[in-house]
Amino acid sequence: MASEAAAHRHTALQVLRRLDTGPRGLTDPEAAARLAVTGENTVPERRTTSWHRLFLRSLRDPFTAVLLCLGLVSALVASWGTAAVILALVAVSCVLRTSGEHRADRSLYDLRELVGSTACVLRRADEAAPVRAREIPVAELVPGDVVRLGPGDLVPADVRLLRASGLTVHQAALTGESAPVAKAVVELPGVGDEGPFAQPHLCFQGSGVVSGSATAVVLETGARTRFAAAHGGPVRREASAFDRSVHGISWVLIRFMLLTPPLVLMANAALRGRGLETLPFAVAVAVGLTPEMLPVIVTTCLARGAARLARTHGVVVRRLPALHDLGAVDVLCLDKTGTLTQDRPVVERALGPDGRDDPDVLNLAATAAWWTLQLAEAPVPDALDEALLDAAGPVGEEYDGVGAVPFDPVRRLATAVVRGEALGTHTLIVKGAVEDLLERCALDRADRDRLLALAEREAETGLRLLAVATAERPARAREYTPADERGLTFRGLVTFHDALNPDAREALRALADLGVGVRILTGDHPATAARVCRELGLEPGEVRVAARCTPQDKADAVAALRAAGHTVGFLGDGLNDVPALHAADVGIAPRAAVDVAREAADVVLAGKDLAAIRFAVTAGRHSSANIASYLRITFSSNLGNVIAMLAAGLLLPFLPMLPAQVLAQNLCFDAAQLAFAHDRPGAEVLRRPTVLRPRAFLRFIAGFGVLNAVADLATFAVLALALRGPDAVDDEVLFHSAWFTENLLTQALVMLLLRTGGGAPGPVGRAAAVLAAVGVLLPPSPLGAALGMTGLALPYYLLLAAVLGLYALALRGLRVTRGLYSCAT
């Protein structure tokens, strides 16, 4: 920042000399040497989080923290087996979660490189080579580079202006001020106490160019910029609706878990006279309620969905939770430009002041567009200027251009100055918004009202309007400014219609089939938006339209929809869309969006395409449905097991299952459920937004949990009657083995019958089959003997099969009557 401090007090020439550069910029060898010294122009926090930091962060997960405490309690009472298994569960869960997040973090960082910003820089191959303006990655900028800035660009580093024309920048990321700030070249800067952001000749990384153009020299890059200093830590984002729902459910269950051990101890002490020897069992029962794989499943589902979207459709998810939010979107807000219409207005007519066709008006407007493009250093013509040049053909070159006053969104005009036909005169050709241009014309009130009425009639047909005026001035060397746009002669109007996107109607129908409503928020005239809807064949009410929207109006409309309970996506690509992108649940921008909009977005599309959004929404619902399946199944099954364990512990003269057996069963079930990250849910689930509703979800798991507990207790009753024999120890071992087998078989059934949607079970079916096989084969194996279990005789398997058959029928019946998807749609 020493360079900026010096730039406060030195002229541009002195700054260039101190940086050992010049107006022609650096050579490639000079830039490479400086890059080796200064490092890449990147903000430090954009790097991926280290593996060990992710591991430590995973320990802060609520369920993991509770498990860790339970393991330490087991160790304190010398229940080393229970403690070892619990701590192993914690370690495995943390390693899997950390590995998944690290891979996802790396993948997202690599995907972000696809949309990394570039800068227009002046570079030469060597001292003798000509200067060329070329686009390079922002990371390769070094102090001394000379860059060009235009509307929509992000300022790529801290820079000192060398030349500027109508430049205004948005510094909200640094100062919080909402209004654009004018910037200009000042050869003798004042010292002042206003601070660097108030200096008109300095622009800072993170600012966005609103209007005008400039050439500037880079002062500081990377960690030495003001932006890096002001944003030294990672940005904290508000938790998504999904995160809030999962945390709400989790804390209800955590409270239940924490109450379980003391309840088991007190009940066993009061009814069975057992004391602290039941603590390991109580701890194991509490562990049985814990969804250890929840962070792993969530991260894996979202990371797989994001990678698949990037690979198949070129859609980059820059923030993983945004993928779930995409699945929950039920309202999509967008501007019509580039989605319902192409980014290509087409000239319809050119009208004189009398309302009749006048081709001279088109020629004047195209001439102004040509010379504004040449003299205002605009990188490309805007959409209207391009339409004018396409319609008029080769015009403008017959004039000699003198100067230009570029368009800005405040005065809504642009002016080109050419040499007049009369010797010693200049002609100003001004084009822009009708109301603003008429205010600057030499007209009486009656003529102004007549022309406004003419413009209103044309606008009511849905056409966009551009007014054209001229003025003759004595030739001069002094630069022209907006103050010269006075006393103009009105020449006429040019009207435009929007070229329609032929795929728009089909894409809107597809979104409607997914339950996503569309809102059009546009700055255009209401009739223009209505005309587009009519030409697309859309009936009134199919698409809601809000016209004449300012940037803040768009953000307010998005906020109002969210306050009404909707999950809102916003598609935008311009500076005026940035507030709404921030306000939405999911901000979406195409890769061709201006830098500021693209950086504000959560999701970046390969193109501004509604079909790509449909694919992204479907991918989000796919991931969310798999997560919801896991949550339903693990919580309802675990809750049923815990209820059954607590009841059996009070009714039996021995523990219904040994602590090590409870933990082994839990580990097998959790491992099998990793398959949900690879499941393919049924098509019916993908047709509606996926929203996790905590109250409905808790009712769901309570109902199915009680059913599961009834099945377990029915097994207990059958076994209690069947195992009456002379050897109570053998009965206990057989009871443990039979219930262990029944529990795993029950959980395998639950995985199949409560998974989301129809279709082939696929990975979940294979995992359930393996889980069932483990339930049958583990007890008679050597590992089963080590866990205190033994093989079962054939009659016991027949009894278990009868109980499981009745349970499967009841489960399917309850699924139909209660509605499987009511908790997560």
Side-chain angles (χ1 to χ4, degrees):
M1 298 180 191
S3 298
E4 295 168 16
H8 288 187
R9 302 173 179 83
H10 294 93
T11 65
L13 182 59
Q14 290 171 328
V15 171
L16 290 172
R17 286 175 177 169
R18 189 183 55 76
L19 292 170
D20 193 18
T21 187
R24 302 172 67 210
L26 300 172
T27 65
D28 289 336
E30 289 172 338
R34 296 188 185 195
L35 185 62
V37 174
T38 62
E40 290 189 342
N41 178 35
T42 56
V43 180
E45 65 265 21
R46 292 187 65 181
R47 297 297 185 187
T48 55
T49 308
S50 65
W51 201 93
H52 73 276
R53 287 183 179 273
L54 287 173
F55 185 85
L56 292 175
R57 190 168 68 189
S58 69
L59 292 173
R60 297 201 300 266
D61 177 76
F63 286 117
T64 303
V66 171
L67 274 179
L68 192 59
C69 292
L70 293 174
L72 295 175
V73 169
S74 298
L76 287 175
V77 296
S79 180
W80 303 113
T82 303
V85 174
I86 293 175
L87 295 177
L89 282 172
V90 170
V92 169
S93 175
C94 289
V95 167
L96 288 174
R97 179 181 183 180
T98 301
S99 300
E101 288 190 349
H102 192 258
R103 284 196 302 271
D105 199 12
R106 290 294 307 175
S107 298
L108 288 176
Y109 182 74
D110 292 340
L111 292 173
R112 279 195 291 266
E113 296 301 308
L114 295 175
V115 294
S117 299
T118 60
C120 181
V121 64
L122 302 184
R123 288 273 179 90
R124 296 164 288 155
D126 53 51
E127 289 290 348
V131 176
R132 288 194 308 116
R134 63 177 187 248
E135 295 286 327
I136 68 168
V138 165
E140 296 179 11
L141 284 179
V142 295
D145 265 325
V146 175
V147 297
R148 287 181 176 173
L149 303 174
D153 289 342
L154 278 177
V155 178
D158 291 355
V159 301
R160 205 271 192 207
L161 297 179
L162 302 178
R163 185 169 57 177
S165 176
L167 184 69
T168 60
V169 301
H170 209 290
Q171 298 184 149
L174 294 161
T175 64
E177 55 190 329
S178 58
V181 178
K183 296 289 184 177
V185 176
V186 179
E187 281 304 321
L188 293 174
V191 177
D193 297 324
E194 302 93 341
F197 300 121
Q199 298 291 332
H201 58 293
L202 298 178
C203 295
F204 299 92
Q205 184 183 50
S207 302
V209 178
V210 177
S211 63
S213 59
T215 302
V217 61
V218 175
L219 301 175
E220 299 285 8
T221 60
R224 296 170 298 281
T225 63
R226 295 276 177 177
F227 182 83
H231 296 74
V235 177
R236 297 182 63 87
R237 297 188 66 95
E238 181 184 354
S240 68
F242 174 76
D243 290 333
R244 292 193 298 270
S245 298
V246 170
H247 278 83
I249 295 166
S250 298
W251 280 110
V252 170
L253 295 174
I254 284 171
R255 293 186 185 98
F256 186 69
M257 285 169 56
L258 294 175
L259 286 173
T260 299
L263 285 176
V264 172
L265 288 174
M266 288 187 294
N268 275 275
L271 300 177
R272 291 291 178 183
R274 295 191 287 252
L276 285 178
E277 65 270 17
T278 61
L279 180 60
F281 172 73
V283 170
V285 171
V287 172
L289 193 59
T290 308
E292 296 91 348
M293 295 295 116
L294 176 59
V296 179
I297 294 287
V298 170
T299 302
T300 305
C301 285
L302 296 180
R304 279 176 54 82
R308 187 167 54 247
L309 266 180
R311 184 175 60 253
T312 58
H313 301 293
V315 177
V316 177
V317 180
R318 302 177 69 241
R319 182 177 61 89
L320 271 186
L323 186 60
H324 171 271
D325 294 338
L326 268 174
V329 163
D330 58 354
V331 175
L332 175 67
C333 298
L334 49 87
D335 195 330
K336 66 177 181 57
T337 305
T339 48
L340 303 182
T341 64
Q342 302 175 32
D343 285 323
R344 189 172 59 84
V346 177
V347 171
E348 175 118 341
R349 299 174 65 195
L351 308 174
D354 57 358
R356 298 178 181 176
D357 291 339
D358 187 347
D360 288 341
V361 176
L362 175 61
N363 290 336
L364 284 171
T367 298
W370 171 260
W371 283 110
T372 302
L373 176 65
Q374 301 302 313
L375 300 176
E377 296 184 351
V380 293
D382 67 20
L384 291 182
D385 284 351
E386 194 167 15
L388 291 170
L389 295 172
D390 286 344
V395 298
E397 297 182 23
E398 67 272 22
Y399 295 93
D400 291 329
V402 174
V405 184
F407 178 86
D408 75 60
V410 177
R411 76 183 207 286
R412 301 198 297 170
L413 299 173
T415 297
V417 184
V418 299
R419 296 193 189 279
E421 295 181 1
L423 188 64
T425 63
H426 287 167
T427 300
L428 279 68
I429 308 175
V430 186
K431 59 183 177 62
V434 176
E435 296 89 346
D436 297 86
L437 187 137
L438 287 176
E439 288 180 0
R440 291 164 172 79
C441 289
L443 295 168
D444 59 31
R445 185 180 186 85
D447 283 340
R448 183 176 288 106
D449 290 343
R450 179 180 60 80
L451 293 171
L452 285 172
L454 171 64
E456 185 63 26
R457 285 196 301 272
E458 294 296 323
E460 286 175 353
T461 67
L463 295 172
R464 300 169 69 178
L465 304 179
L466 185 72
V468 183
T470 60
E472 298 293 326
R473 299 282 190 266
R476 73 187 197 201
R478 182 165 48 87
E479 191 175 87
Y480 286 88
T481 69
D484 295 300
E485 298 166 342
R486 293 286 185 273
L488 306 177
T489 300
F490 183 78
R491 301 299 297 270
L493 301 171
V494 181
T495 64
F496 303 81
H497 70 268
D498 292 307
L500 298 179
N501 187 335
D503 301 325
R505 184 173 187 180
E506 182 181 349
L508 288 172
R509 297 289 186 196
L511 287 171
D513 290 342
L514 291 173
V516 179
V518 173
R519 305 287 191 276
I520 298 175
L521 308 178
T522 179
D524 285 333
H525 192 282
T528 304
R531 178 188 178 116
V532 169
C533 292
R534 286 197 305 271
E535 291 181 354
L536 285 171
L538 299 175
E539 297 297 329
E542 282 187 292
V543 175
R544 297 186 184 179
V545 179
R548 293 296 193 196
C549 289
T550 66
Q552 191 57 48
D553 290 337
K554 293 182 180 182
D556 291 343
V558 169
L561 287 168
R562 292 186 67 191
H566 295 285
T567 302
V568 183
F570 183 87
L571 172 62
D573 64 351
L575 281 167
N576 60 335
D577 296 320
V578 172
L581 286 168
H582 284 301
D585 291 284
V586 186
I588 309 168
R591 194 175 299 174
V594 298
D595 292 348
V596 184
R598 195 171 60 230
E599 289 296 321
D602 301 303
V603 177
V604 178
L605 309 177
K608 197 171 182 181
D609 182 9
L610 288 177
I613 296 179
R614 175 170 62 87
F615 291 126
V617 168
T618 302
R621 293 181 183 179
H622 187 148
S623 298
S624 300
N626 287 345
I627 294 169
S629 284
Y630 167 77
L631 291 172
R632 279 196 304 269
I633 290 167
T634 193
F635 281 139
S636 58
S637 180
N638 288 354
L639 180 63
N641 284 341
V642 166
I643 294 172
M645 292 277 188
L646 293 175
L650 299 177
L651 297 173
L652 290 173
F654 51 81
L655 292 178
M657 199 177 286
L658 299 179
Q661 296 165 356
V662 175
L663 296 174
Q665 169 196 286
N666 197 46
L667 182 59
C668 292
F669 187 39
D670 283 334
Q673 290 186 99
L674 290 173
F676 282 111
H678 306 271
D679 194 20
R680 297 191 65 81
E684 67 275 13
V685 181
L686 305 180
R687 295 195 188 104
R688 49 190 156 186
T690 47
V691 180
L692 197 64
R693 297 184 171 89
R695 290 186 180 179
F697 185 85
L698 289 172
R699 287 196 300 269
F700 182 94
I701 65 173
F704 282 95
V706 169
L707 177 60
N708 191 39
V710 169
D712 286 345
L713 293 173
T715 304
F716 153 64
V718 170
L719 292 175
L721 293 174
L723 295 179
R724 291 185 178 275
D727 194 339
V729 175
D730 286 344
D731 288 354
E732 183 177 344
V733 172
L734 285 171
F735 187 94
H736 291 164
S737 304
W739 206 353
F740 181 90
T741 298
E742 185 270 343
N743 272 332
L744 290 190
L745 292 175
T746 302
Q747 288 167 332
L749 274 177
V750 170
M751 287 180 63
L752 290 173
L753 295 179
L754 291 191
R755 64 181 284 269
T756 301
V764 173
R766 292 190 290 273
V770 171
L771 183 64
V774 170
V776 173
L777 300 176
L778 181 61
S781 70
L783 180 57
L787 292 172
M789 293 186 290
T790 187
L792 301 176
L794 180 60
Y796 298 123
Y797 288 114
L798 295 177
L799 289 172
L800 292 178
V803 173
L804 289 172
L806 293 173
Y807 173 68
L809 291 174
L811 192 66
R812 183 170 289 277
L814 187 59
R815 166 179 166 153
V816 172
T817 57
R818 295 201 56 165
L820 176 60
Y821 311 118
S822 61
C823 61
T825 60

